[in-house]
């Protein structure tokens, strides 16, 4: 009789233990939104599809992934190819701007439609590899709200990118680092992971590329902690850059002036 009772208790405990890890995994699971703005990226879509398939498979089980493409008014076959490759994937949403509104506006559209507790942004030209995403997620903790790639970190690298672009980007980041006294090496890289609270509490009026450094600078000024992951910036293999040199310089100088006014007089950025 005692043996039978012990066997019943034994099987009950075994079944309970089998269920426990599953329920624990469900409790830990977080929703992750990956936002990818696209503008006339027809030639690079196959590379993008391949890299996304790899990262989707490698993400830890505690994340559920949604992918949001924001087609910022492309005039080539970008939108058609996105639908062709991802129409059968329920985790993928493709949103199209009827006309080009620029990078900042595309990111805002993505943020407004994101459901994740964590929100990642990525370049569609794959100049930063998607395998960095799981590593970036690991750097988030209770004291860290933003993680950004950093080619200008002492352990970062730049390969085959035109010298004028490196000079402009690196020098502007050095100026922001000096003005903010933040210790951050790279301010203009779009590839980042945010906790949702940052994007709920930090706003930028910029609709162009300036949105990217501005949102990071404002997050730092509000006291959010930023970590950098050393990364290698490589030249894009497909398509052409949309950056305009004169407008880029002018916009950075304008933002630097705003930072100086904020630090000196407390004037809102």
């Amino acid at each position: 009789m005692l043996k039978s009772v012990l066997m019943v208790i034994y099987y009950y405990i075994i079944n309970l233990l089998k269920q426990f890890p599953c329920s624990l995994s469900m409790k830990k699971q977080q929703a992750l939104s990956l936002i990818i703005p696209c503008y006339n990226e027809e030639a690079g879509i196959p590379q993008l599809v391949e890299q996304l398939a790899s990262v989707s498979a490698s993400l830890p089980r505690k994340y559920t992934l949604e992918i949001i493409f924001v087609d910022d008014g492309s005039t080539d076959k970008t939108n058609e190819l996105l639908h062709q490759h991802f129409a059968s994937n329920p985790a993928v949403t493709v949103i199209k701007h009827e006309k080009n509104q620029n990078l900042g506006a595309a990111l805002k559209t993505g943020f407004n439609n994101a459901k994740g507790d964590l929100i990642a942004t990525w370049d569609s030209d794959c100049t930063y590899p998607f395998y960095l995403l799981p590593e970036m997620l690991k750097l988030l903790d209770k004291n860290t709200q933003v993680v950004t790639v950093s080619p200008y970190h002492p352990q970062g690298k730049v390969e085959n990118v035109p010298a004028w672009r490196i000079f402009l980007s690196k020098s502007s980041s050095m100026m922001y680092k000096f003005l903010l006294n933040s210790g951050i090496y790279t301010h203009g890289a779009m590839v980042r992971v945010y906790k949702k609270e940052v994007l709920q509490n930090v706003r930028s009026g910029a609709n162009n590329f300036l949105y990217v450094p501005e949102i990071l600078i404002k997050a730092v000024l509000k006291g959010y902690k930023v970590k950098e992951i050393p990364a290698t910036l490589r030249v894009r293999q497909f398509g052409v850059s949309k950056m305009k040199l004169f407008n880029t310089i002018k916009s950075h100088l304008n933002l630097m002036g705003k930072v100086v006014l904020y630090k000196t007089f407390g004037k809102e950025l």
Side-chain angles (χ1 to χ4, degrees):
M1 179 67 179
L2 179 59
K3 184 176 180 180
S4 298
V5 172
L6 290 175
M7 287 297 294
V8 170
I9 294 174
Y10 170 80
Y11 283 113
Y12 175 79
I13 292 174
I14 291 298
N15 288 329
L16 187 63
L17 289 174
K18 286 181 180 179
Q19 296 173 18
F20 182 73
C22 181
S23 62
L24 184 61
S25 175
M26 291 178 66
K27 288 180 181 178
K28 284 185 174 180
Q29 205 166 49
Q30 285 183 290
L32 169 64
S33 299
L34 175 59
I35 298 169
I36 307 175
C38 302
Y39 177 58
N40 289 346
E41 296 290 348
E42 173 184 342
I45 295 298
Q47 178 192 26
L48 179 61
V49 171
E50 181 181 348
Q51 288 208 20
L52 273 176
S54 175
V55 75
S56 298
S58 66
L59 280 174
R61 288 187 177 183
K62 65 178 181 178
Y63 301 108
T64 57
L65 177 65
E66 72 165 353
I67 302 172
I68 301 174
F69 291 102
V70 181
D71 176 8
D72 190 26
S74 294
T75 55
D76 63 2
K77 293 183 178 180
T78 294
N79 195 266
E80 178 183 335
L81 289 172
L82 289 175
H83 282 284
Q84 178 182 315
H85 285 286
F86 296 106
S88 62
N89 190 336
V92 175
T93 301
V94 179
I95 302 171
K96 182 174 176 59
H97 289 170
E98 290 306 312
K99 62 179 182 179
N100 180 249
Q101 298 180 38
N102 221 317
L103 177 60
L107 287 171
K108 290 175 187 177
T109 295
F111 295 151
N112 289 337
N113 286 274
K115 302 179 181 68
D117 309 306
L118 307 175
I119 300 176
T121 55
W122 221 271
D123 292 309
S124 59
D125 59 14
C126 301
T127 47
Y128 292 100
F130 279 96
Y131 64 70
L132 289 172
L133 179 54
E135 299 303 314
M136 295 171 72
L137 290 166
K138 292 176 185 177
L139 293 178
L140 289 172
D141 54 42
K142 64 179 182 180
N143 297 316
T144 305
Q145 293 80 34
V146 183
V147 177
T148 181
V149 293
S150 183
Y152 307 136
H153 187 280
Q155 297 173 17
K157 297 179 182 178
V158 177
E159 294 181 356
N160 302 321
V161 179
W164 69 267
R165 289 196 61 177
I166 297 304
F167 174 78
L168 176 60
S169 178
K170 195 168 186 177
S171 58
S172 62
S173 278
M174 287 175 64
M175 285 298 298
Y176 292 130
K177 181 182 177 184
F178 171 76
L179 292 173
L180 295 170
N181 192 29
S182 64
I184 299 172
Y185 291 95
T186 303
H187 295 78
M190 191 189 78
V191 173
R192 295 178 189 154
V193 179
Y194 305 85
K195 288 184 179 178
K196 193 168 189 176
E197 65 182 271
V198 177
L199 299 171
Q200 290 174 330
N201 296 321
V202 179
R203 296 284 187 270
S204 168
N207 283 332
N208 61 3
F209 76 92
L210 198 69
Y211 180 89
V212 174
E214 185 170 330
I215 207 75
L216 185 70
I217 288 167
K218 287 188 172 183
V220 170
L221 292 174
K222 281 185 175 288
Y224 289 112
K225 176 69 181 296
V226 178
K227 284 184 180 178
E228 295 179 279
I229 182 169
T232 300
L233 171 61
R234 297 181 173 90
V235 68
R236 63 158 61 223
Q237 295 181 19
F238 303 96
V240 296
S241 172
K242 313 320 187 277
M243 181 180 290
K244 307 298 182 185
L245 178 59
F246 177 76
N247 288 339
T248 300
I249 295 172
K250 181 180 176 182
S251 297
H252 275 303
L253 291 174
N254 182 53
L255 180 55
M256 288 174 192
K258 290 181 179 179
V259 173
V260 170
L261 290 174
Y262 176 86
K263 299 283 285 188
T264 307
F265 304 106
K267 185 176 179 180
E268 190 68 28
L269 264 69

